[in-house]
Amino acid sequence: MKNLVFLFVICAFSFTGMAQNSAVGQNSSNKNPQFSKPKLVVGIVVDQMRYDYLLRFYNKYGEGGFKRMMNEGFNCKNNHFNYIPTKTAPGHASVFTGTTPKYHGIIGNDWYDKEIKADVYCAGDQNVVPVGTTSKAGKMSPHRMLATTFADENKLFTQMRGKSIGISIKDRGAILPAGHTANAAYWFYGKREGNFITSSFYLDELPKWVKQFNSSKTVKSYLKDWNTLYDIDSYTESGDDLNTFEEGFKGKETATFPYKLKKLSAHNGDFDILKETPFGNSIVADFAIAALKGEQLGKDDHTDVLTVSFSSTDYIGHNFGVNSKEIEDTYIRLDKDLERLFKALDAEVGATNYTVFLTADHAAVEVPSYLQSLKIPSGYVNAKDLKEALNSFMVSTYGTSDLIENISNNQIFLDRKKIKEMDLNLGVVQEAIVNEIIAYKHVDKAYTGTTMVTTEFSKGVEGLLQNGYNQKRSGDVLFVFSPATISYNKTGSTHGSGFNYDTHVPLLFFGSGIAHGETLQKTSITDIAPTISALLGIGLPNAATGNTLEFVLLND
């Protein structure tokens, strides 16, 4: 019996060893996963794109742009931002770092710096030199972003062999996505120049291909008439062309088609007028295609990263509003620019060699004055009136209004040194301001900074505020307006809140390594970078808090 047991054990060990050897053999014969990676990842951000634009204008789109992504790739239909404020700079930083302002530190497009007691711009950098211009518009870098992007992690993984290039009309839309280690970020400087520029953070001079693009007549060719691409009567997915909810251009009496851009440019910043037309997006697509060729992206075994932010959608939304004929025409034209870009990727990199994702940095609210005309609750806040009321309260309560240093981005910054000199308790002062402003019309919620760092919120507007709260950079009191209530002009749309109209944005993936499908499962903007990192088999961005969307990736 003992001999039989011994024989059984020997056989079991032998079988296990054979199985292990077989598994090792299988693994050793597999292709190195590094070689199955896409040669190029293209991250596209459409500035101020609401998710419903995919559906509203669907029948106007061709087969090669948005529809190609939806039909061949994966559509996350319930994708949201998970923090406040929903602004451009925090949006771009969050998409590519996989975390929120709480960690990456970009708490707004600009903000009040508590240390130097002055406003700072998210990408402003006085320590660099403009390249391609003499304007201070070139004094930019990502130095205020505290975290790495997946592009940075790809550079580290490939020993800096993989390239990273960022492109946008806006400096922040090019700089923040490309990260700290980018080969270059290029943004558009209009005025009388109409060129793409960069800074000495990246390069000492523009590459030959950029100089050639700038010296071509590409940008100038877009100073032409902007009319609807199709018959305006067919634009049934948007409101009347003539209405009272749009700003328009200086030099034209009404915000109605057509727009003679060459004539209007003299009154609207020369080449800057192109930013507020769909041709700004076309210029970005032209430049991105030039970058593909000029930088030889996706031509070797080291994955490259190209980030492209289409900013004109935001300028047009701010000017004309989300229900305008101008917005509808802009997205119809953007769809064609995407198709051009994808065809260039097919030709230059190969249809099976690249991966694309498309999302937005925020969405936007319907123009509140338009909503009011439909009897939908909405409104406007006069920032000056709010500040005056708060100053009066501070004087009557503490004998001075000097305790408040700054009010911006729906945050109140207190003079902590003066509070200490007056022997006041910071927490008590914060709470007194909260109790005061919560009574103001249109202020829906208010919280102290102390609450943000001492209480953990997992949902609701409180959770969104907390994800956007950076302890060293954010204010002492945070407040939120009621739904569809903004501090802005009576014309045009804006954004910044934690409501669905600002947080719900597209998230489309397609290309190499991407599954085909769709989901209504809620996803977050911070899930993008971890998902791309998993696709590439690289380290996560160092402060990433999002999740990998496994269902988006093909299982080998």
Short mmCIF file of all heavy atoms in Angstrom, two decimals, residues 163 209 286-297 299 344 347-349:
data_model
loop_
_atom_site.label_atom_id
_atom_site.label_comp_id
_atom_site.label_asym_id
_atom_site.label_seq_id
_atom_site.Cartn_x
_atom_site.Cartn_y
_atom_site.Cartn_z
N LYS A 163 8.22 59.06 -29.21
CA LYS A 163 8.00 60.50 -29.29
C LYS A 163 6.66 60.89 -28.68
O LYS A 163 5.71 60.09 -28.65
CB LYS A 163 8.04 60.96 -30.75
CG LYS A 163 9.42 60.98 -31.37
CD LYS A 163 9.36 61.60 -32.76
CE LYS A 163 10.75 61.73 -33.36
NZ LYS A 163 10.70 62.37 -34.70
N TRP A 209 9.83 71.25 -40.68
CA TRP A 209 8.47 71.00 -41.17
C TRP A 209 7.48 72.02 -40.61
O TRP A 209 6.51 72.38 -41.29
CB TRP A 209 8.04 69.57 -40.87
CG TRP A 209 7.80 69.24 -39.42
CD1 TRP A 209 8.69 68.72 -38.53
CD2 TRP A 209 6.58 69.43 -38.69
NE1 TRP A 209 8.11 68.57 -37.29
CE2 TRP A 209 6.82 68.98 -37.37
CE3 TRP A 209 5.32 69.91 -39.01
CZ2 TRP A 209 5.83 69.02 -36.37
CZ3 TRP A 209 4.33 69.95 -38.03
CH2 TRP A 209 4.59 69.51 -36.73
N ASP A 286 -4.89 69.95 -40.28
CA ASP A 286 -3.81 70.12 -41.26
C ASP A 286 -2.44 69.99 -40.59
O ASP A 286 -1.54 69.30 -41.10
CB ASP A 286 -3.89 71.51 -41.92
CG ASP A 286 -5.11 71.69 -42.79
OD1 ASP A 286 -5.67 70.68 -43.25
OD2 ASP A 286 -5.51 72.85 -43.00
N PHE A 287 -2.30 70.64 -39.43
CA PHE A 287 -1.01 70.64 -38.74
C PHE A 287 -0.70 69.27 -38.16
O PHE A 287 0.45 68.82 -38.17
CB PHE A 287 -1.02 71.71 -37.64
CG PHE A 287 0.34 71.99 -37.06
CD1 PHE A 287 1.26 72.74 -37.75
CD2 PHE A 287 0.69 71.50 -35.81
CE1 PHE A 287 2.53 73.00 -37.22
CE2 PHE A 287 1.94 71.75 -35.26
CZ PHE A 287 2.87 72.51 -35.97
N ALA A 288 -1.73 68.58 -37.66
CA ALA A 288 -1.53 67.22 -37.12
C ALA A 288 -1.06 66.27 -38.22
O ALA A 288 -0.18 65.42 -38.00
CB ALA A 288 -2.81 66.71 -36.49
N ILE A 289 -1.63 66.39 -39.40
CA ILE A 289 -1.21 65.55 -40.53
C ILE A 289 0.23 65.89 -40.93
O ILE A 289 1.02 64.99 -41.24
CB ILE A 289 -2.19 65.72 -41.71
CG1 ILE A 289 -3.56 65.14 -41.34
CG2 ILE A 289 -1.65 65.05 -42.97
CD1 ILE A 289 -4.68 65.48 -42.31
N ALA A 290 0.56 67.17 -40.89
CA ALA A 290 1.94 67.58 -41.18
C ALA A 290 2.89 67.02 -40.13
O ALA A 290 4.02 66.62 -40.46
CB ALA A 290 2.04 69.10 -41.23
N ALA A 291 2.45 66.95 -38.88
CA ALA A 291 3.29 66.40 -37.81
C ALA A 291 3.52 64.91 -37.99
O ALA A 291 4.62 64.40 -37.73
CB ALA A 291 2.63 66.67 -36.45
N LEU A 292 2.47 64.20 -38.43
CA LEU A 292 2.62 62.77 -38.71
C LEU A 292 3.79 62.52 -39.66
O LEU A 292 4.62 61.63 -39.43
CB LEU A 292 1.35 62.22 -39.35
CG LEU A 292 0.19 61.77 -38.48
CD1 LEU A 292 -0.97 61.34 -39.36
CD2 LEU A 292 0.61 60.64 -37.57
N LYS A 293 3.83 63.32 -40.70
CA LYS A 293 4.85 63.14 -41.72
C LYS A 293 6.19 63.73 -41.27
O LYS A 293 7.24 63.10 -41.41
CB LYS A 293 4.40 63.79 -43.02
CG LYS A 293 3.09 63.19 -43.57
CD LYS A 293 2.58 63.97 -44.78
CE LYS A 293 1.26 63.40 -45.29
NZ LYS A 293 0.70 64.18 -46.42
N GLY A 294 6.14 64.95 -40.72
CA GLY A 294 7.36 65.63 -40.36
C GLY A 294 8.13 64.96 -39.23
O GLY A 294 9.36 64.97 -39.22
N GLU A 295 7.40 64.36 -38.29
CA GLU A 295 8.04 63.69 -37.15
C GLU A 295 8.18 62.19 -37.36
O GLU A 295 8.71 61.49 -36.49
CB GLU A 295 7.24 63.96 -35.88
CG GLU A 295 7.20 65.41 -35.43
CD GLU A 295 8.54 65.88 -34.90
OE1 GLU A 295 9.40 65.03 -34.58
OE2 GLU A 295 8.74 67.11 -34.80
N GLN A 296 7.65 61.69 -38.49
CA GLN A 296 7.73 60.26 -38.80
C GLN A 296 7.12 59.43 -37.66
O GLN A 296 7.70 58.44 -37.19
CB GLN A 296 9.18 59.83 -39.06
CG GLN A 296 9.77 60.39 -40.34
CD GLN A 296 9.13 59.75 -41.58
OE1 GLN A 296 9.36 58.58 -41.90
NE2 GLN A 296 8.31 60.53 -42.28
N LEU A 297 5.96 59.86 -37.21
CA LEU A 297 5.31 59.19 -36.07
C LEU A 297 4.82 57.81 -36.47
O LEU A 297 4.29 57.60 -37.57
CB LEU A 297 4.15 60.04 -35.56
CG LEU A 297 4.51 61.43 -35.02
CD1 LEU A 297 3.26 62.20 -34.62
CD2 LEU A 297 5.46 61.32 -33.84
N LYS A 299 6.56 55.07 -36.99
CA LYS A 299 7.37 54.42 -38.02
C LYS A 299 8.34 53.37 -37.47
O LYS A 299 9.02 52.71 -38.25
CB LYS A 299 8.17 55.47 -38.80
CG LYS A 299 7.31 56.46 -39.59
CD LYS A 299 6.55 55.78 -40.71
CE LYS A 299 5.86 56.80 -41.60
NZ LYS A 299 5.09 56.16 -42.69
N ALA A 344 -5.25 59.86 -43.10
CA ALA A 344 -3.81 60.11 -43.07
C ALA A 344 -3.11 59.10 -42.16
O ALA A 344 -2.02 58.62 -42.49
CB ALA A 344 -3.53 61.54 -42.58
N ALA A 347 -2.80 55.87 -44.01
CA ALA A 347 -1.78 55.91 -45.05
C ALA A 347 -0.37 55.97 -44.47
O ALA A 347 0.54 55.29 -44.96
CB ALA A 347 -2.01 57.12 -45.96
N GLU A 348 -0.18 56.74 -43.40
CA GLU A 348 1.16 56.97 -42.87
C GLU A 348 1.60 55.92 -41.86
O GLU A 348 2.78 55.58 -41.78
CB GLU A 348 1.22 58.36 -42.22
CG GLU A 348 1.05 59.52 -43.17
CD GLU A 348 2.17 59.59 -44.20
OE1 GLU A 348 3.34 59.33 -43.83
OE2 GLU A 348 1.87 59.89 -45.37
N VAL A 349 0.65 55.41 -41.08
CA VAL A 349 1.00 54.47 -40.00
C VAL A 349 0.50 53.06 -40.29
O VAL A 349 1.12 52.07 -39.91
CB VAL A 349 0.44 54.97 -38.64
CG1 VAL A 349 0.92 54.09 -37.49
CG2 VAL A 349 0.85 56.42 -38.38
#
